[in-house]
C-alpha cells in the first residue's frame, strides 16, 4: 500500500478538494490511531467507514479489522483508492452516498462498527441514518465539529433534537479534541472524536421510537416558541388541545422544547398516543 499524504496523492491525480463536499482530509498518524483506539476495532470486527477520502484512515482500519467497507461519495477518488487497496483483501470500496446506502444489505448478518471522518455538514444526518437503521451498529465513532459535539453531549437542560435522538439510542461522549493542523486543507474550526454506544434496551418507557420522535420533532418544529405552540403546529392540533396534553403529562405548556428531559419527552409521547386513542 502507498503511504503518501493526502495532499501528495491528490496532487498526483490533479484533484482539488471540493468545499461543496466539505473535504478536509485527516493526515496526522496520531489522530488516526486515536480514532482506531476509540472505536476499539479488533481482528474479528467489521467496520463501515464513512468518507474514505484518500484512504489514510481506511489503511489504519484495514490493519486492525476483519473487514472494512469503505464508503466514499466522490468518484474522483476512485483511482486513488483502487490503486491504494488493490492488494487489500479485507477492504471493500463502495462509491455511494452513505445516506442512500442500505446498511443491512451491505454488512449482511455481521455486527459492525461505524467509523466516520466525513464532511461535517452531514454529521447529524449520518448519526440519524445509522441509529434509525434496521440494523444499528455496535458503536459509532465520528469526527465532527467540536461545537456540534458539545451540543450532542449537551447539558440536560439545553438539548436539541439531535442530542435527544442520540441519548434515546445510546450513550455519547467526547473522546478527544483536535486543532485544525491534523487535516489538509486546514479547517477554521476545532474537531472532536465522538463515540456513541447504543443502549441494550430503551432508556425510557416510550410508546415506540416512531411515536416518540413524532412528538419530539413536533416539539422542536418552532424554535424559541413555547411548547404548546410548537406542539400544536407540529402535530397539527389546536393550541388548546396541545396545552391540555402538556398539562396531562405534567409539563408546563409555556416551557420550551430544549428544557425537557428524555423522560419528560417519553411521558409526553405516551400521553399524546393515549390521548389520540380515546378521542
Amino acid at each position: 500500500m502507498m503511504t503518501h499524504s493526502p495532499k501528495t496523492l491528490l496532487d498526483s491525480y490533479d484533484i482539488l478538494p471540493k468545499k461543496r463536499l466539505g473535504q478536509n482530509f485527516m493526515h496526522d498518524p496520531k489522530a488516526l490511531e486515536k480514532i482506531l483506539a476509540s472505536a476499539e476495532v479488533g481482528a474479528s470486527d467489521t467496520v463501515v467507514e464513512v468518507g474514505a477520502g484518500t484512504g489514510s484512515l481506511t489503511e489504519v482500519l484495514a490493519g486492525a479489522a476483519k473487514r472494512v467497507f469503505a464508503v466514499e461519495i466522490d468518484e474522483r477518488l476512485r483511482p486513488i483508492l483502487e490503486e491504494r487497496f488493490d492488494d487489500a483483501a479485507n477492504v471493500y470500496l463502495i462509491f455511494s452516498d452513505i445516506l442512500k446506502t442500505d446498511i443491512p444489505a451491505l454488512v449482511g448478518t455481521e455486527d459492525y462498527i461505524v467509523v466516520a471522518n466525513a464532511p461535517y455538514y452531514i454529521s447529524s444526518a449520518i448519526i440519524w441514518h445509522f441509529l434509525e437503521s434496521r440494523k444499528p451498529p455496535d458503536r459509532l465513532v465520528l469526527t465532527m465539529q467540536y461545537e456540534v459535539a458539545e451540543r450532542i453531549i449537551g447539558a440536560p437542560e439545553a438539548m436539541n433534537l439531535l442530542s435527544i435522538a442520540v441519548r434515546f439510542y445510546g450513550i455519547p461522549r467526547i473522546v478527544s479534541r483536535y486543532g485544525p493542523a491534523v487535516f489538509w486543507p486546514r479547517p477554521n474550526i476545532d474537531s472532536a472524536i465522538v463515540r456513541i454506544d447504543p443502549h441494550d434496551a430503551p432508556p425510557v418507557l416510550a410508546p415506540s421510537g416512531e411515536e416518540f420522535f413524532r412528538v419530539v420533532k413536533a416539539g422542536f418544529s418552532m424554535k424559541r416558541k413555547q411548547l404548546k405552540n410548537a406542539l400544536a403546529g407540529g402535530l397539527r392540533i389546536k393550541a388548546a388541545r396541545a396545552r391540555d396534553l402538556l398539562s396531562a403529562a405534567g409539563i408546563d405548556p409555556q416551557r420550551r422544547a430544549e428544557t425537557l428531559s428524555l423522560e419528560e419527552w417519553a411521558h409526553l409521547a405516551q400521553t399524546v398516543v393515549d390521548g389520540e386513542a380515546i378521542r
Side-chain angles (χ1 to χ4, degrees), residues 38-40 112-114 127 131 136-142 153 165-175 194-201 203:
S38 301
E40 297 185 49
Y112 69 102
I113 301 166
V114 172
I127 292 172
L131 293 182
D138 284 353
R139 53 191 169 277
L140 298 89
V141 174
L142 310 93
I153 303 303
V166 169
R167 287 169 186 266
F168 182 80
Y169 284 110
I171 302 170
R173 60 187 173 94
I174 294 176
V175 177
V194 173
R195 172 168 165 158
I196 304 170
D197 291 278
H199 299 295
D200 293 330

Side-chain angles (χ1 to χ4, degrees), residues 57-255:
L57 180 57
T58 313
E59 186 172 278
V60 172
L61 293 169
K66 176 184 176 182
R67 294 193 299 175
V68 178
F69 292 99
V71 183
E72 174 54 55
I73 193 173
D74 190 352
E75 279 282 350
R76 300 178 306 154
L77 302 176
R78 181 187 287 271
I80 295 177
L81 291 167
E82 288 184 342
E83 182 176 354
R84 188 166 188 173
F85 297 103
D86 182 54
D87 296 326
N90 66 334
V91 175
Y92 304 83
L93 300 173
I94 296 96
F95 294 91
S96 172
D97 181 345
I98 190 63
L99 302 181
K100 298 177 181 178
T101 301
D102 187 338
I103 302 303
L106 187 66
V107 300
T109 59
E110 296 280 339
D111 293 334
Y112 69 102
I113 301 166
V114 172
V115 177
N117 183 26
Y120 291 173
Y121 72 92
I122 62 167
S123 294
S124 298
I126 289 171
I127 292 172
W128 279 103
H129 183 61
F130 281 101
L131 293 182
E132 292 190 316
S133 170
R134 301 190 311 276
K135 184 178 176 61
D138 284 353
R139 53 191 169 277
L140 298 89
V141 174
L142 310 93
T143 57
M144 62 179 64
Q145 183 176 346
Y146 186 77
E147 290 181 355
V148 174
E150 282 192 311
R151 288 199 294 272
I152 288 175
I153 303 303
E157 68 278 3
M159 291 198 285
N160 59 17
L161 178 58
L162 181 59
S163 60
I164 288 286
V166 169
R167 287 169 186 266
F168 182 80
Y169 284 110
I171 302 170
R173 60 187 173 94
I174 294 176
V175 177
S176 188
R177 180 174 183 169
Y178 293 126
V182 303
F183 296 95
W184 183 86
R186 292 189 178 192
N188 296 319
I189 55 172
D190 279 1
S191 303
I193 298 176
V194 173
R195 172 168 165 158
I196 304 170
D197 291 278
H199 299 295
D200 293 330
V204 291
L205 293 175
S208 69
E210 182 180 354
E211 291 294 345
F212 177 84
F213 282 109
R214 180 172 70 94
V215 173
V216 174
K217 288 176 180 178
F220 279 98
S221 63
M222 297 181 182
K223 293 182 178 179
R224 294 179 291 278
K225 293 287 186 180
Q226 291 182 355
L227 199 50
K228 63 180 175 65
N229 296 324
L231 200 66
L235 294 180
R236 297 183 179 180
I237 58 177
K238 293 183 178 180
R241 177 62 179 161
R243 184 189 62 237
D244 290 344
L245 288 168
L246 286 160
S247 296
I251 298 169
D252 184 344
Q254 294 185 329
R255 287 174 64 183

